[in-house]
Amino acid sequence: MVAIRSLAAILTYLIGLCGMIPLFPWLTTFPRIALVAGLLSGTWQDRRGNWPLKPWIQNIAIVPVFLYYTLQFSRANPIEPVISVLAIMLAVRLSGEKSVRHSLQIYALSMFCLASSSLFDLSPVFLIYLGLLLFMVAVALVLLTFQNQDQAMTVSKPDLKRILFSGLLMPIMVVPLLLLFFPIMPRTQLPLWHFLSPPSTRMTGYSDTVEPGSQSSIAESRTLAFRAEMSRQAQTQPYWRGTVFNRTDGIKWTRSAQVPAENIEITAQTVSQVIYPEPSAVHTLIALDRPTSLSLYSVKRSPDGVYEMIGAAGSRLIYTANSLSSGTVAQRNSLNRLFYLQLPEQLPARVKNLASEIVRAGKDDRAKVQFLESYFRNGGYRYSTVDLATGNRALEQFLFEKKMGHCEFFASTFALLLRAAGVPCRLVGGYLGGEYSQLGGYYLVTDDKAHVWVEVYIEGSGWERIDPSGFASNAGDVWKASGSRSFMHRISLVFDSLNHLWNRSVITYDFEQQMKIARHVGSRLEGVNPTKLLSSFVPYLAGSLLLAGILFTAARSSLFRSREQRILHRFLQTIEHGFDIPAGVGGVGLFEIASTANNSHVSDFVDIYSGAIYHDRRLTDAEYLRLQQILRILKGVKSKIP
Amino acid sequence: MNLPAQAHAFTKVFETLSREYLQGKEEVLRLSVIALLVGGHILVEDLPGLGKTTVALALAGVTGLSFGRVQCTSDLLPSDITGLSIFNREEGHFSFQPGPIFNNIVLLDEINRAMPRTQSAMLEAMEERRVTIEGVTHPLPDPFMVFATQNPSDQSGTFLLPESQLDRFLICTGIGYPAEQLEREIIAGGGIRERIGSMVPLVTSAEILAARKDVQAVYLSDKVLSYIHNLVLATRSHELILTGLSTRAAINLAQAAKASAFLAGRDYVAPDDAKGIAVAVCAHRLVMRSDMTTTDRGGVLRTIIAGIALPLA
C-alpha cells in the first residue's frame, strides 16, 4: 500500500524538474536561483508537513516580479522576460503547499517551460523530457483525482501498476499521430529564438585569413565541425577542402574572389558524400578535397574549388558533394601563373636568399618543390601549437630561428618560398582527418582538425596537394591515426551516431528527399519480377494479416462493446452505487444480485436481460428500451437514497 | 412450453414443505426436490436428530410417492434390501417378496453402517434402477430416488463409502442446526411425524415424470456450458486436488442446474444456477491429495468457484 498523497507529491516534483532542467541553461541568474530555492524549500516543507508560506502570500509576492519583467519586455528582448516569469512562477508553486489546483498549475508551467526550451535548442533530449512529462502528468492526474476524493487514500501495488500502465498508454497512443503529422507539419531547422544570436563557439578552428604569428599559442576545441556521410576512405587522414588563400602580404594570407578560370579534368571516379555541417557563422562549405560539384540551392562556386553559401549562415544544412580524392587535379586550360605568383613587394633578405637557392637547385618546378621539401625535412622543424613565433617577423623567425609552429607556419612559409622561387602555388584551408563512425557510416570532424596545406601547380601534372606540416620531424607523432580507441571514446561515437540520426531524420527532415527515396525505391521495384516478388512476400503478408486479425479481434472485445455489454455495464454500475452491492463483472451472478437487492426493478432487469443472454440471443429493441427505462428508474431510486 | 405453470407445482411443493412442515431446512428440501426432478439420489451427511428422516418422509408425503426405509447395520444383507424368494407352501412354488428398495423413495439410514457388500448391492440398484435376484430381473419403480443418510462423526464399526460410489449420488449435503428462534419454535411445537402422516399429496408421480422431461428441455446456453466446463477443468488442475471432477459430475451439474432453473420458474439456465448448486453436486466427488484428505472439500470448491468469472454478457 502506498499513500496517494506522497506519490502525487513526488510526481509533482519530478514533473517540475522535467520542466526546469531543459530550460535551466538558458535562464539568467535570478530565475535559476529562484528555481533551485523553490524546489529545495518545497521538498523541505513537504518533509516537515508544515507550510508556513501561505498561497496568498506567494501570490502577492509574485506581483512585483511580474511587473519588473513586464517592464523588461521589449521588441529587442521578448523572450527572456517571459521565460524568467515562467520559471519564477514554477519556483513559487513548487515552494508552496500542493493542493490539487496548485499541482495542476505546476504541470502546466512545467509543460510551458519545456516548450520554451525548444526556442533555444532543438536537441533529441527534448523528446525524452516530453515523453517523461506526458507520462508523469497522465499518472499524476489519476492520482490527483483520487486525492481529491480522499486525502488519506492509499493504493495497492497492482492498482498502482494499472495506473502506471494507463499513464504509459497516453504517450504511446500519441506516436501514430506523431508519425502522421511529422511529414506534413511545418517545422523549423533551427531554434526559433536562438538563431538570431548563433552560438559563438563555432568561430575557432577555421578562419577567413591565415595569419601565423598573431597568437603565441592556439587553443584546440573539440567541438563538432561537420559530419560527412560516405564510405570509409582508403586514406587514413582525408583532406577536407574549405577555402583557398591566394594573396599574401608576407605576413598573412587572404583570399581574392577574382579567381582565374580553372577548367579541371575529371579523370577518376568521384567520391560522393553527404555533408551535415554544424550551424556556424562561416559561409564556406566543406567537402572532401577536391570537390567537383556540390548540391545546394544558393551556392557560389569559385573556379578553384571553393564553395560558398549565399545568404544568412547559421541554419542546419545538408548537401551532397562529389570529390576527386587523388590529391592531384589536372587543369585543361592554361594557368594564370602571374596570379599564383603574387608576392609582397618586400621580402626579408633571408627568405630571398633561400628562394634563390631553390631556383639554383631546381631546373623545373618539380625539382624546386623537391628541394624545398628536403630543406624542410632536414631542417629540424617541429610541429607545435605553443611557444609560437609572433609579430610581423613571425614567418622569418619560424623559418630560421624557432623552427617550431603549427600548420599555418609550415604552409605559409612553404608557399611563400615557392612563390619567391617562381613556382605557382596557393594555400588551402580546411580540415584534416576525422573519426570514422562505423555505426553511422560517416566521418566526424571536429574543429581541432582544422588545417592548412599547400597546392602547387606543376606543369604537365596539375594542382598537387603538398602538406608541409608533414615534413615536421615529429609529424609522425602528431598526425598518426589514432589506432586503439578507448572504451569511452567508442561510447561517445555511438552517442554521436544517435545525435546524427536525430539531426538527419528529424531536424533536417526533407520531404523532397524522402520523396526522392520513395521514387527511387519505386523505380527499383519496376525492374523486379512481380510474381516472384509476390510469392516471396506472401508468407509475410499472410503473417501480418493474421497478426492484425488477432489483434483486431482481441481489441474488438474491449474496444467495441456490444449493446448488451454496455447496458450490463451501466446496470452493474448503478447496482454498485445505488445498492452498495459489489458487482464486479463476473464475481456475482445476476440473480444473486437481484435477490440481494430485493428490488422489483432490479429483478425485472435481470429477468429480461438474462432471458435474452442465456438463451444465446441478442436483446430485442423492445427489451432494450425497457431495460433503459428500468435503468433510469433505478438511477432515480438511487438519488432518493440519501 | 409454458414452463412457469408446470414449475409452479414444484415450487409449491417446496414452499409448502419448507413453510408448513420443515422450517429452516429450505436448502436440503430444495436439493431434494432437485434430485427428484433430475432423477438422481441424495446423500445427507449430518448428525442424528436433525431431521434427515423427517425430510425424506415429508418428501414422500407431499409427493404421494411410496416410501421404504432401510436402517443399515453391519449385519444387513443385500437380500434384506432387495427382497428374496420365499417358498409358498400352499401354492407350492417360490414367490418373490420385494424388499424395501421397491419403493419410489427409499431412505437408506446410516448407509455407512452397512458392510461393503450390501453397500455395493444398493448402489448397483441405484445406478441400474433394477434388481436381479436368482436370475430374474425386477425393474424398480419410476420415479425412484434414494435418500441416504450418513453420520460423519460416528466412525467406529462403519464402512466409509468409497469415492467411486459417492459419485453415484447426485447431491451430497448437510442439514445443520436450525436457527435459534426456529429451534425454540420447533421445541415448543414438538415433532411433526404425526402431521406428516396426514399430508395431502400436491403432485402425482405422472406429473413428476412429466416435469423431468421439462427439466431436460430447459435451455442451457453456450455461456453457461463454458462456465460449467471451466469449473470442471479448474478442479482438475487444482493443487490440493488429486482427481478432479469426472465427465459424469459435469453432466450431473448441468442437469442439477437445469432443475434449479426450473424450480426458479425459468426455461433457461443462468450461471447462478450452476454456481448455487455446484458445491452440493460436486464437492463430494473431489478426491483430495493423500495429505489433504481432512481439508474441507466444500471450502476448496468454493474458492475455485470464486476464481471463475460468471458469464454475464
Side-chain angles (χ1 to χ4, degrees):
Chain A
M1 288 305 212
V2 194
I4 282 187
R5 214 182 136 78
S6 52
L7 257 184
I10 292 169
L11 267 182
T12 304
Y13 285 119
L14 287 178
I15 289 170
L17 275 174
C18 251
M20 59 197 257
I21 292 175
L23 190 63
F24 204 76
W26 313 105
L27 289 171
T28 49
T29 316
F30 177 62
R32 281 185 188 189
I33 294 171
L35 273 178
V36 174
L39 192 70
L40 289 180
S41 79
T43 42
W44 180 65
Q45 289 175 98
D46 242 344
R47 281 183 71 93
R48 278 184 33 190
N50 185 14
W51 300 92
L53 274 174
K54 294 284 166 272
W56 63 270
I57 303 176
Q58 297 178 324
N59 290 345
I60 289 175
I62 217 168
V63 172
V65 177
F66 188 75
L67 282 177
Y68 170 75
Y69 280 110
T70 313
L71 292 176
Q72 294 283 304
F73 185 86
S74 70
R75 259 167 61 189
N77 186 20
I79 300 294
E80 193 236 293
V82 176
I83 61 161
S84 299
V85 168
L86 268 180
I88 291 168
M89 275 162 71
L90 178 61
V92 166
R93 276 292 162 257
L94 280 175
S95 73
E97 188 176 3
K98 279 152 209 72
S99 67
V100 172
R101 209 170 68 127
H102 289 167
S103 299
L104 288 178
Q105 286 172 354
I106 289 173
Y107 305 159
L109 284 169
S110 301
M111 211 61 112
F112 289 145
C113 282
L114 179 64
S116 51
S117 79
S118 71
L119 290 172
F120 299 93
D121 186 23
L122 296 176
S123 144
V125 186
F126 176 81
L127 209 62
I128 295 170
Y129 281 117
L130 186 67
L132 267 178
L133 202 63
L134 281 179
F135 166 64
M136 290 197 294
V137 167
V139 174
L141 284 179
V142 176
L143 294 180
L144 281 184
T145 318
F146 287 132
Q147 194 191 329
N148 203 21
Q149 291 290 322
D150 178 7
Q151 290 279 326
M153 196 183 261
T154 58
V155 61
S156 67
K157 284 253 168 69
D159 284 342
L160 187 65
K161 218 180 262 176
R162 278 170 56 194
I163 293 172
L164 289 179
F165 179 73
S166 52
L168 202 60
L169 220 56
M170 198 169 90
I172 287 173
M173 269 159 62
V174 171
V175 171
L177 283 179
L178 195 79
L179 292 179
L180 180 72
F181 283 123
F182 180 73
I184 54 172
M185 291 298 271
R187 76 202 58 246
T188 165
Q189 296 188 356
L190 56 162
L192 276 179
W193 170 244
H194 210 54
F195 77 101
L196 292 177
S197 48
S200 56
T201 45
R202 281 277 294 119
M203 299 299 284
T204 58
Y206 186 91
S207 55
D208 291 346
T209 54
V210 172
E211 190 181 2
S214 58
Q215 283 163 317
S216 66
S217 68
I218 59 167
E220 292 191 341
S221 80
R222 279 193 58 86
T223 52
L224 178 65
F226 64 92
R227 298 185 183 91
E229 225 171 60
M230 59 200 288
S231 58
R232 185 161 206 163
Q233 295 299 296
Q235 55 194 113
T236 48
Q237 304 279 357
Y239 284 84
W240 307 96
R241 192 184 189 91
T243 188
V244 169
F245 305 102
N246 42 31
R247 319 296 293 169
T248 179
D249 63 354
I251 300 164
K252 65 175 185 251
W253 285 75
T254 52
R255 173 171 177 77
S256 158
Q258 274 77 49
V259 184
E262 201 168 306
N263 195 354
I264 64 164
E265 203 170 314
I266 301 169
T267 47
Q269 181 78 37
T270 55
V271 179
S272 178
Q273 73 234 254
V274 185
I275 311 270
Y276 299 84
E278 282 293 293
S280 78
V282 180
H283 283 246
T284 318
L285 299 169
I286 309 287
L288 186 70
D289 192 39
R290 171 181 174 172
T292 56
S293 67
L294 191 143
S295 73
L296 199 71
Y297 283 122
S298 47
V299 64
K300 182 181 144 220
R301 181 187 182 283
S302 298
D304 53 358
V306 173
Y307 293 85
E308 278 168 313
M309 194 170 35
I310 302 165
S315 73
R316 207 169 264 287
L317 298 171
I318 328 174
Y319 52 88
T320 48
N322 291 301
S323 307
L324 286 167
S325 61
S326 64
T328 305
V329 181
Q331 186 177 335
R332 284 208 204 97
N333 55 340
S334 60
L335 182 79
N336 182 348
R337 287 183 74 92
L338 268 179
F339 182 81
Y340 289 110
L341 287 172
Q342 177 270 337
L343 275 175
E345 280 160 21
Q346 292 293 316
L347 277 179
R350 285 194 280 184
V351 174
K352 272 186 182 165
N353 289 341
L354 185 54
S356 52
E357 208 175 308
I358 298 168
V359 174
R360 274 199 302 280
K363 50 188 183 302
D364 62 355
D365 288 352
R366 186 174 295 283
K368 287 175 189 168
V369 172
Q370 277 165 355
F371 176 83
L372 188 58
E373 182 183 329
S374 59
Y375 177 85
F376 265 76
R377 281 196 193 280
N378 304 327
Y381 291 93
R382 289 179 54 79
Y383 187 90
S384 168
T385 52
V386 291
D387 193 18
L388 305 170
T390 51
N392 284 349
R393 291 181 58 252
L395 285 186
E396 209 183 336
Q397 271 182 21
F398 162 76
L399 205 48
F400 301 108
E401 290 147 27
K402 285 213 155 181
K403 295 199 170 183
M404 56 199 283
H406 49 73
C407 58
E408 291 190 3
F409 283 94
F410 280 90
S412 310
T413 50
F414 197 85
L416 194 72
L417 284 167
L418 278 184
R419 281 195 175 185
V423 183
C425 62
R426 61 195 178 194
L427 248 59
V428 183
Y431 294 87
L432 171 61
E435 298 275 2
Y436 191 74
S437 164
Q438 291 286 2
L439 187 70
Y442 60 84
Y443 277 98
L444 176 82
V445 183
T446 45
D447 265 334
D448 61 334
K449 304 276 187 219
H451 194 56
V452 178
W453 63 93
V454 177
E455 268 183 352
V456 183
Y457 190 84
I458 308 285
E459 206 65 57
S461 168
W463 287 104
E464 282 184 18
R465 181 171 62 216
I466 291 173
D467 190 351
S469 306
F471 305 149
S473 57
N474 59 345
D477 302 331
V478 178
W479 300 108
K480 73 164 181 221
S482 45
S484 61
R485 290 171 180 164
S486 71
F487 178 70
M488 284 311 289
H489 190 79
R490 272 185 240 171
I491 293 281
S492 73
L493 266 185
V494 168
F495 273 107
D496 188 78
S497 299
L498 294 178
N499 207 5
H500 176 53
L501 191 71
W502 165 263
N503 282 334
R504 201 180 72 162
S505 55
V506 178
I507 300 287
T508 56
Y509 176 87
D510 185 350
F511 188 66
E512 226 165 279
Q513 188 83 22
Q514 302 294 320
M515 286 306 290
K516 213 163 94 184
I517 290 170
R519 272 200 294 275
H520 179 64
V521 170
S523 65
R524 283 272 296 272
L525 280 179
E526 274 170 19
V528 176
N529 181 0
T531 49
K532 194 178 156 197
L533 189 77
L534 206 63
S535 62
S536 69
F537 267 101
V538 160
Y540 295 105
L541 201 67
S544 40
L545 275 179
L546 191 71
L547 193 70
I550 290 168
L551 286 177
F552 181 71
T553 35
R556 229 183 98 92
S557 55
S558 60
L559 289 181
F560 309 106
R561 291 197 294 189
S562 65
R563 191 162 75 165
E564 288 76 16
Q565 283 168 323
R566 285 200 304 271
I567 200 153
L568 173 74
H569 186 69
R570 279 172 57 201
F571 172 70
L572 292 179
Q573 278 190 329
T574 315
I575 288 294
E576 276 197 17
H577 293 144
F579 294 89
D580 212 18
I581 299 171
V585 176
V588 191
L590 293 173
F591 289 97
E592 250 177 294
I593 292 173
S595 69
T596 321
N598 199 16
N599 176 303
S600 65
H601 296 300
V602 176
S603 302
D604 283 351
F605 185 98
V606 169
D607 283 341
I608 296 171
Y609 179 82
S610 304
I613 289 300
Y614 298 127
H615 265 127
D616 284 336
R617 66 175 172 84
R618 311 199 60 169
L619 289 168
T620 62
D621 288 342
E623 283 173 335
Y624 185 66
L625 287 177
R626 175 77 189 120
L627 291 183
Q628 284 188 316
Q629 265 180 3
I630 295 174
L631 273 184
R632 273 196 290 277
I633 296 168
L634 283 176
K635 287 215 170 112
V637 170
K638 173 197 141 193
S639 61
K640 276 173 207 146
I641 297 170
Chain B
M1 130 176 112
N2 186 12
L3 207 134
Q6 285 137 345
H8 187 66
F10 288 88
T11 319
K12 205 179 164 200
V13 166
F14 166 59
E15 283 180 355
T16 312
L17 283 176
S18 59
R19 281 213 199 113
E20 295 176 18
Y21 297 96
L22 299 158
Q23 293 91 345
K25 297 189 177 56
E26 285 85 4
E27 188 56 22
V28 70
L29 275 172
R30 201 173 74 88
L31 293 173
S32 304
V33 175
I34 286 171
L36 189 66
L37 284 172
V38 173
H41 310 291
I42 183 165
L43 174 67
V44 181
E45 271 188 321
D46 222 325
L47 301 168
L50 289 176
K52 293 181 296 236
T53 316
T54 320
V55 169
L57 271 173
L59 191 66
V62 84
T63 51
L65 297 173
S66 66
F67 181 79
R69 176 179 182 147
V70 180
Q71 180 65 49
C72 295
T73 55
S74 55
D75 56 355
L76 187 78
L77 292 171
S79 59
D80 294 338
I81 301 171
T82 58
L84 71 172
S85 294
I86 294 169
F87 185 72
N88 191 323
R89 212 177 292 167
E90 286 150 24
E91 293 176 22
H93 62 85
F94 283 92
S95 66
F96 178 64
Q97 294 292 313
I101 204 163
F102 286 90
N103 279 303
N104 291 118
I105 292 180
V106 179
L107 173 65
L108 292 176
D109 220 352
E110 300 200 70
I111 191 171
N112 53 340
R113 290 206 168 276
M115 58 185 166
R117 188 159 77 115
T118 314
Q119 281 179 356
S120 74
M122 286 187 297
L123 293 161
E124 198 189 327
M126 281 162 62
E127 186 69 17
E128 305 292 327
R129 286 160 201 277
R130 65 188 178 205
V131 177
T132 305
I133 300 153
E134 290 155 16
V136 184
T137 302
H138 305 276
L140 294 177
D142 200 19
F144 172 69
M145 177 186 172
V146 169
F147 199 103
T149 72
Q150 180 166 272
N151 182 350
S153 69
D154 194 3
Q155 297 294 324
S156 62
T158 62
F159 305 94
L160 278 178
L161 286 174
E163 273 100 6
S164 61
Q165 299 195 333
L166 278 174
D167 203 23
R168 305 259 163 99
F169 287 98
L170 175 75
I171 281 166
C172 176
T173 184
I175 289 184
Y177 294 108
E180 193 181 332
Q181 182 59 32
L182 208 57
E183 197 164 25
R184 292 168 71 97
E185 285 170 19
I186 292 168
I187 296 166
I192 55 151
R193 288 285 172 92
E194 297 76 25
R195 286 170 61 211
I196 285 173
S198 60
M199 267 173 125
V200 184
L202 293 171
V203 286
T204 64
S205 69
E207 278 175 335
I208 293 172
L209 293 176
R212 280 190 187 172
K213 285 208 174 69
D214 292 340
V215 167
Q216 286 302 315
V218 166
Y219 186 82
L220 179 70
S221 74
D222 268 359
K223 301 182 181 81
V224 183
L225 186 63
S226 310
Y227 176 71
I228 290 174
H229 195 224
N230 286 342
L231 173 61
V232 171
L233 290 182
T235 63
R236 291 178 190 166
S237 59
H238 195 269
E239 52 182 358
L240 297 181
I241 298 171
L242 185 67
T243 313
L245 293 173
S246 63
T247 310
R248 173 159 61 189
I251 295 170
N252 286 347
L253 179 55
Q255 286 173 329
K258 281 181 177 180
S260 171
F262 179 81
L263 262 190
R266 277 185 267 114
D267 63 349
Y268 58 88
V269 183
D272 306 45
D273 298 318
K275 186 187 174 189
I277 201 129
V279 174
V281 175
C282 302
H284 62 285
R285 303 173 203 244
L286 297 175
V287 181
M288 308 302 285
R289 270 181 27 204
S290 56
D291 49 337
M292 295 290 170
T293 42
T294 51
T295 321
D296 173 24
R297 286 183 279 198
V300 172
L301 192 58
R302 267 185 280 273
T303 355
I304 294 174
I305 291 170
I308 302 171
L310 287 122
L312 296 188

